[in-house]
């Protein structure tokens, strides 16, 4: 099973999204700004904190990370089998989010939860809509 950890950076009623490019998966679509595979022996929370640093240049303290939900999906990444997605929320961090991997992200923007872009990765959009509903 493949595990992927996401961290949703939320600022009031806005969330930070990145425009995917050069990844081979849903390029040209908006996605949660920091996400990546959970490495062997790593917790999903540790992966979220690491990905936020690697992809956005921000530091998140473990006590500032809240687990939102975990969902399973299949067939969205060829050869991956079942994927377990771990979604986390951060409303506090240090540093200013910026694109740290320009070969994988074409843009980085704050979007109001009620005005999410139409070309948002579908399984991530479902999670953000749940966040809006709560």
């Amino acid at each position: 099973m493949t595990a992927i950890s996401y961290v949703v950076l939320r600022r009031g009623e806005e969330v930070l999204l990145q425009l995917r490019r050069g990844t081979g998966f849903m390029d040209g679509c908006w996605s949660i700004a920091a996400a990546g595979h959970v490495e062997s022996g790593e917790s999903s929370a540790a992966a979220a904190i690491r990905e936020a640093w690697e992809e956005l240049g921000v530091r998140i303290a473990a006590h500032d990370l809240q687990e939102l939900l975990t969902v399973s999906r299949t067939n969205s990444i060829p050869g991956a089998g079942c994927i377990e997605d771990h979604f986390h929320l951060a409303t506090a961090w240090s540093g200013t989010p910026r694109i740290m991997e320009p070969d994988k992200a074409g843009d980085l923007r704050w979007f109001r939860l009620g005005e999410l872009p139409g070309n948002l990765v579908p399984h991530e959009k479902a999670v953000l809509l749940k966040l809006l509903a709560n």
Side-chain angles (χ1 to χ4, degrees):
M1 177 180 296
T2 299
I4 300 177
S5 192
Y6 302 76
V7 58
V8 177
L9 268 60
R10 183 173 181 174
R11 180 178 72 182
E13 290 305 309
E14 296 177 313
V15 292
L16 188 63
L17 302 179
Q18 69 166 307
L19 186 61
R20 300 179 63 85
R21 77 165 174 202
T23 68
F25 177 74
M26 307 274 324
D27 290 333
C29 292
W30 290 94
S31 67
I32 292 171
H37 289 87
V38 177
E39 296 176 1
S40 179
E42 185 178 43
S43 70
S44 66
I49 290 168
R50 176 181 51 76
E51 291 292 343
W53 173 247
E54 292 175 357
E55 296 184 9
L56 302 173
V58 297
R59 297 275 187 204
I60 300 172
H63 64 269
D64 287 327
L65 195 66
Q66 174 188 348
E67 187 174 340
L68 288 174
L69 70 142
T70 299
V71 295
S72 295
R73 60 187 162 99
T74 57
N75 299 325
S76 59
I77 299 176
C82 185
I83 299 168
E84 190 173 81
D85 292 318
H86 300 267
F87 292 90
H88 301 84
L89 175 68
T91 56
W93 56 87
S94 62
T96 301
R98 62 194 184 283
I99 295 174
M100 299 292 289
E101 298 175 329
D103 56 322
K104 296 179 182 178
D107 198 357
L108 188 66
R109 289 189 210 164
W110 291 97
F111 287 89
R112 291 189 56 76
L113 279 167
E115 300 170 3
L116 296 171
N119 61 334
L120 183 57
V121 175
H123 70 276
E124 296 177 25
K125 183 176 185 174
V127 171
L128 294 175
L129 290 176
K130 284 184 181 183
L131 186 60
L132 174 63
N134 291 335

